[in-house]
Amino acid sequence: STDGVPRLSDDRLYRALASTRRRRLLYLLLEEGACTVDTIATVLTGWNATEAGTMGSPDDREQIRISLEHVHLPLLAEAGLITRDRGEGTVDIEPLDGAIRDLIRRSVDAESRSTN
């Protein structure tokens, strides 16, 4: 896209949205606004544990935090979907096209319904 706003036709967008973890991360930011990486890791750990019917351990949370730092956040930033403030330690969602926001919300809602 010419103005830097991700579009539905953008391959990077589809790659970014291919992961359940990344869709959930974006959904969290859409609903809550800026969050710390630790908060995101805690929420995603709880989400996974609820889905699996287990308790999330500190090790699970640390694994998720590491995967966020090294895989998911860089990919989402490269796709223009998030910004990171390393000084504040926060992640925030970029202004997104309404169709992309709807796509994220619908996909996460559908996943939640199918696992419950």
Side-chain angles (χ1 to χ4, degrees):
S1 65
T2 54
D3 56 8
V5 176
R7 300 257 186 272
L8 283 174
S9 59
D10 189 337
D11 283 344
R12 289 176 315 166
L13 174 68
Y14 283 106
R15 196 166 69 245
L17 296 179
S19 155
T20 299
R21 183 162 292 165
R22 289 192 293 272
R23 288 192 302 272
R24 287 176 173 178
L25 187 161
L26 290 169
Y27 181 88
L28 173 65
L29 295 175
L30 276 175
E31 298 301 314
E32 302 296 328
C35 293
T36 65
V37 175
D38 285 343
T39 298
I40 294 167
T42 299
V43 171
L44 292 177
T45 302
W47 210 323
N48 287 358
T50 299
E51 196 172 78
T54 62
M55 293 292 294
S57 72
D59 284 349
D60 296 335
R61 184 181 169 284
E62 183 60 12
Q63 280 186 317
I64 288 175
R65 195 187 65 70
I66 291 168
S67 76
L68 288 171
E69 291 282 3
H70 294 284
V71 179
H72 302 295
L73 296 173
L75 198 150
L76 290 170
E78 183 190 316
L81 295 170
I82 63 162
T83 51
R84 293 187 69 181
D85 183 329
R86 289 184 188 277
E88 295 287 319
T90 57
V91 179
D92 204 355
I93 197 156
E94 286 283 6
L96 297 180
D97 182 81
I100 295 172
R101 285 195 307 270
D102 291 347
L103 180 67
I104 293 165
R105 285 193 171 109
R106 277 199 317 270
S107 67
V108 171
D109 286 344
E111 286 162 14
S112 299
R113 279 195 303 276
S114 70
T115 57
N116 291 339

